Amino acid sequence: MNFMLEAIRLARIAEIKGDVPVGAVIVKGNKIISKAYNKKQCKNNALLHAEIIAINKACKKLKSYRLNDCEMYVTLEPCPMCAGAIISARIGKLYFGAYDKKAGCCGTLYNLMEGKFNHKPQVFGGIHQEECASLLTEFFKKRRK
C-alpha cells in the first residue's frame, strides 16, 4: 500500500523532529488530500496527534467536516481521542500499522469503532506492521538511553 509507505515516511520526519514517530495520510479518490505527523511533544500540545492534524487539514481542504468518502492510513492504532475524531469525521476506512497495547482503541485495548455510534468506519490493522512497530520500538529505546 503506497499510502501507508507515505505515512511511514511522515513518521520518520516526526522522529527527526524529536516527536513520537507516527504519520497519517488521508486519501479521497485514490489521491492524498492531507498528511501529517505527530507534533505533540515538539509543540507541547496533547491534541497534536498525526490523525487530528490530518483530519483538520482534510476538513479545511474539502470545506466539510464529513470525510465520508475518505480513507485514513496511520502508522499506529489510534488512541481514544483520535478514534473518536475518525468517527466524528465519518472517515469511511481506517488502515493502521502497529497495534497499540497501551492506548489502541480500534480493537486492541478497546474498540470504539464497534460502539453504538452513528458511524462505523471499516478498520484494517497490521498494515506494514513490523516496519511501523520497529519505528516506535527504536524511538523509545533511544529515548531511554
Side-chain angles (χ1 to χ4, degrees):
M1 290 193 171
N2 291 337
F3 300 124
M4 185 59 80
L5 295 177
E6 177 63 10
I8 291 168
R9 186 188 73 76
L10 292 163
R12 289 190 175 114
I13 293 171
E15 181 177 21
I16 290 166
K17 295 189 177 224
D19 223 307
V20 178
V22 177
V25 173
I26 296 180
V27 175
K28 182 174 182 173
N30 216 27
K31 181 180 175 191
I32 294 174
I33 61 165
S34 74
K35 50 189 176 180
Y37 52 85
N38 267 12
K39 294 182 180 179
K40 178 177 146 179
Q41 293 182 359
C42 63
K43 299 277 188 175
N44 289 314
N45 187 328
L47 301 176
L48 296 181
H49 289 209
E51 300 96 320
I52 301 295
I53 298 167
I55 288 170
N56 191 41
K57 287 179 178 181
C59 289
K60 285 180 181 177
K61 182 166 188 164
L62 298 179
K63 296 183 174 111
S64 175
Y65 74 91
R66 293 177 183 251
L67 304 178
N68 307 57
D69 300 327
C70 296
E71 301 174 346
M72 177 181 277
Y73 295 79
V74 62
T75 57
L76 180 63
E77 180 180 2
C79 71
M81 174 181 69
C82 294
I86 291 164
I87 293 166
S88 182
R90 295 176 169 83
I91 290 173
K93 293 180 183 176
L94 168 68
Y95 299 89
F96 69 84
Y99 291 87
D100 188 347
K101 295 175 188 171
K102 294 182 180 180
C105 283
C106 297
T108 300
L109 195 61
Y110 296 102
N111 195 345
L112 293 180
M113 301 304 179
E114 290 186 359
K116 295 182 180 182
F117 302 106
N118 65 336
H119 179 72
K120 291 177 178 47
Q122 290 181 284
V123 179
F124 307 90
I127 313 299
H128 290 282
Q129 180 179 348
E130 288 181 23
E131 188 173 1
C132 293
S134 70
L135 277 170
L136 293 156
T137 303
E138 293 304 313
F139 175 80
F140 287 111
K141 273 185 191 175
K142 290 176 194 172
R143 277 239 152 132
R144 286 185 209 107
K145 288 183 180 182

